[in-house]
Each structure stands twice: as C-alpha cells, then as structure tokens.
Amino acid sequence: MQLPPDRNYLETRHWRVTGWLLAAVWLFFLNIPLLAALHQPEPWRRVVGAATLVAFGVLYVFVFQWARGRRLERRGIPVARAWAAVALLLGLGLAGIPGTGGDWLTTLVFVAAAAVFLLPSRQSLVVVALAALTPPVTAALVPGWEAEGTVVFAVLLASFAMFGVTRLTQRNSELQAAQQEIRRLAVAEERARTARDLHDILGHSLTVVAVKAELAGRLLELDPARAATEIADVERLAREALADVRGTVGAYRGISLAGELAGARSALAAAGIAAELPDTAPELPAERDELFGWTVREGVTNVVRHSGARRCVIRVEPGLVEVRDDGRGPEAASSGPGGHGLVGLRERARRLDAAVTVGRRPDGPGFLLRVTLPVDQ
C-alpha cells in the first residue's frame, strides 16, 4: 500500500504554520514606529512611515520563511542573497525615517535577528555589533534623538533568541534526515535479507535439480527405473523450492499474527517509530489468524516506508485488527484503489467476508488500516 508522497517530507503542515507564527509574532514590536508614523502631522509622512513599515514586516516574514525552508531541506543559504536581504531590510528601515523619526531604530532589532538567521556566525556577529552601537551613536550625532538603551538590549536579546532558533532548526533538520535514512536502511535491509534468502534457497535447490536432471537424462536408456526415481526427486525438490520461495517472500505459507507482531515490533524499532503493540496474540482460527497477520504486515510496511510517523499503535481483538499512526495520512479518499498490497489484502478479506477500512484517523492526523469481521465467524 503506497501513499502519494508529500512534496516536502521534512516540513509537515504543523511546522509550516508554526514557522509563520514564529516569524510574524515578533512584528508586534513594530507598533512603536508605526504609532509614531500615524501621529505625524503631515499626511505624506504618515504614508511613508506606514508603507515602509508594512513592506518591512512582509519582507522580514518572507525572508525568515525562505531561509527556514532551505535550512530544513539542508540546503545552504547563498551568502550574496543573505546580504541582499539584510541590506534591503536596513534600507526599508532607513526609508521610513521621515515618518518614524528616531523610532526607526526599532527595525534594527529585526535586522540583527535576520542577520543571525541568514549569515555565517562571524558575519552576523559584525551586523549585531553595528546594530547595537547604532542607537547611542546616532543619539550623539543627530539632534533631538535620544539614546535608546531598550533598543540596544532588544537587539542583543533578539539576536541571542534567533541564535537558538537557528540551532533548533538545524538540529530538527538533522534529526528528520536521520529518521528518513533509518527508514530507508530498514527497507534496504529487508530487501537484502530477502535477496540473500532467495539466493541460499534457490542456489542449493536448483543446483541439485540440475544435477539430478542431468543424471536422469543419462540413465534414461541405461536404467529407466532409476531415471524415473531421479525425475521424481527433481519434482519433489522443485516443489520444495517453490514452497521455500513463497515462504521467504511472505507469500501464502508460514504467516501468522504472532509472527507478524514480532516482526512489526522489530521493524518499527529499527525505523525509530514508537510502537504500542499487544504482548500476545489471541487464539484465532487459522484463516482469520493469517488474515490478521497480513493486515499487520501491510499496515506496518506503510508506516515504515511512507507515513513519516513517530508513533504506531496496533490493536487486536477477536473480530478486529487495526494499525494506526500519527503520520501524514492518505492524500486520497479511503475508497481509492490503493497499492498492490492493499488490493491483495482486500482480496484475502473478501474470502472471509471481512470489511477493510482505509483512510484518515477520525481522532486526529495519521493513517488508519482496519479489518473487521463477525466474532462468531
């Protein structure tokens, strides 16, 4: 069962909304220069002050989200573009001086924070130092402007806070990349195990089959009775090899609910996904036990490969088995055709008149796979 991949697995919808809020909430501190602009006696000053502040706020949020997206995707931020963004923010702050007066210094808080988020450490430190020194220097040089100690403190505090946000974003990106790599390795390990088992089984069986077939061909005229015996052995070996192959690739033999629960626990642990599974499997009729085992295998395969989940819960009752996670969930409706694994599961369920439910979890984000049938069946 395959789900349509999310365009950007590193950034879920929750984190996108959080990112916008994290950038926009700081714009509250622009109320000081905005109020100064709105109280200007001349209309053109009010327009210039308000327009430049609005443009400043929009640009700040856009730059923050652009840089944050690149960091989450583990792509570098071009230094030239970073300096251009910092310079443009500073330019908008300066352009608003006719409307904001000395209160334009508040924009330096955002310029310093943007520099910390965009630029390399040493370069951002230079920008922060200049932003912190600007208020006392301009107060000494420009008549009528007062030294704003609160602005200096705000510049330093915002820079320190943005440094923490930068490191948090970086660590979050590295963690998600590591989880993705673990999932990829878990799938690769399973494929390698299957290939190795197939090689071991078929390598031995087909070698013996070839030897016996060659021997039977030579004995066909010399000793027909022994040749018939060898041909019978060839048939037996071929059937045993076929059964072993089916068991190895998880076909129609050897699958059970207890075995799949144990395999699910191992697979989820290898993928770094917290698992909540029953300790023991209930006693079930053979056909139902096999169907429930297939359901657990299909559900866990989806969780490991496609969901991006952090937690998986498997619930088993005499008439129900359910696999749910807290990942991205399906993009299409649950009535869609699904992947090959889901089609096969529906076919097996149909033989027992069982109902298969596939779709979003009703109690929150994530994916739900459930198979139900009457308990008295």
Side-chain angles (χ1 to χ4, degrees):
M1 175 176 54
Q2 293 186 353
L3 302 177
D6 191 76
R7 185 180 67 175
N8 186 357
Y9 75 92
L10 291 175
E11 187 171 19
T12 63
R13 181 177 302 175
H14 167 75
W15 280 105
R16 286 197 295 270
V17 173
T18 303
W20 283 107
L21 293 176
L22 187 62
V25 69
W26 294 98
L27 298 181
F28 170 79
F29 294 99
L30 290 178
N31 68 329
I32 296 176
L34 181 61
L35 289 175
L38 295 178
H39 286 83
Q40 291 288 342
E42 300 176 58
W44 73 270
R45 292 183 182 275
R46 291 198 294 269
V47 172
V48 169
T52 54
L53 287 174
V54 170
F56 182 93
V58 171
L59 177 63
Y60 176 79
V61 173
F62 173 80
V63 167
F64 181 86
Q65 281 297 97
W66 168 75
R68 182 173 175 272
R70 294 187 69 93
R71 286 186 180 276
L72 287 174
E73 295 171 1
R74 305 193 73 184
R75 293 189 296 165
I77 299 176
V79 177
R81 293 186 183 182
W83 274 111
V86 172
L88 189 54
L89 285 171
L90 179 60
L92 286 173
L94 292 170
I97 290 179
T100 59
D103 289 326
W104 80 275
L105 294 171
T106 304
T107 61
L108 293 176
V109 177
F110 298 88
V111 172
V116 171
F117 200 69
L118 296 173
L119 296 172
S121 299
R122 293 184 179 180
Q123 298 180 22
S124 63
L125 184 61
V126 173
V127 176
V128 171
L130 292 176
L133 291 174
T134 298
V137 171
T138 54
L141 297 177
V142 181
W145 286 11
E146 298 180 358
E148 292 286 347
T150 56
V151 174
V152 176
F153 177 76
V155 166
L156 298 177
L157 181 61
S159 300
F160 181 78
M162 189 57 69
F163 177 80
V165 171
T166 302
R167 292 297 178 267
L168 178 62
T169 304
Q170 180 179 351
R171 296 295 182 268
N172 186 49
S173 173
E174 294 173 353
L175 176 60
Q176 293 188 32
Q179 291 175 341
Q180 183 69 13
E181 180 66 10
I182 289 173
R183 297 185 186 101
R184 187 191 67 80
L185 291 175
V187 174
E189 175 63 23
E190 179 63 18
R191 290 175 177 171
R193 183 195 64 81
T194 301
R196 182 173 60 251
D197 291 347
L198 284 175
H199 175 271
D200 294 342
I201 292 171
L202 293 182
H204 172 75
S205 298
L206 294 181
T207 298
V208 177
V209 166
V211 171
K212 285 185 171 291
E214 182 181 359
L215 177 60
R218 292 199 303 265
L219 294 175
L220 190 59
E221 295 181 358
L222 300 176
D223 191 348
R226 185 178 175 188
T229 301
E230 298 296 337
I231 292 298
D233 284 345
V234 168
E235 180 182 1
R236 177 183 57 80
L237 288 171
R239 292 183 182 277
E240 290 178 357
L242 179 60
D244 290 339
V245 169
R246 286 176 172 172
T248 300
V249 299
Y252 303 102
R253 297 187 184 184
I255 188 170
S256 65
L257 177 59
E260 291 306 315
L261 287 174
R265 191 182 304 276
S266 176
L268 293 171
I273 301 173
E276 183 178 330
L277 286 72
D279 295 329
T280 59
E283 293 291 333
L284 299 172
E287 290 185 340
R288 184 181 304 185
D289 186 83
E290 182 179 352
L291 174 62
F292 282 12
W294 274 109
T295 305
V296 171
R297 173 177 292 191
E298 185 60 26
V300 171
T301 299
N302 172 72
V303 172
V304 172
R305 291 185 178 179
H306 310 295
S307 70
R310 294 177 298 178
R311 185 175 183 82
C312 175
V313 178
I314 300 177
R315 185 162 63 99
V316 179
E317 297 178 2
L320 174 147
V321 61
E322 182 181 275
V323 181
R324 64 180 186 270
D325 62 63
D326 60 355
R328 287 187 290 268
E331 296 294 335
S334 60
S335 58
H340 295 295
L342 182 56
V343 171
L345 181 62
R346 290 186 188 276
E347 292 175 352
R348 294 183 180 90
R350 195 177 299 119
R351 299 192 196 102
L352 299 180
D353 295 326
V356 179
T357 302
V358 181
R360 293 187 180 277
R361 289 177 54 179
D363 57 343
F367 187 82
L368 171 69
L369 172 61
R370 179 191 295 134
V371 173
T372 55
L373 43 71
V375 178
D376 57 350
Q377 181 174 335

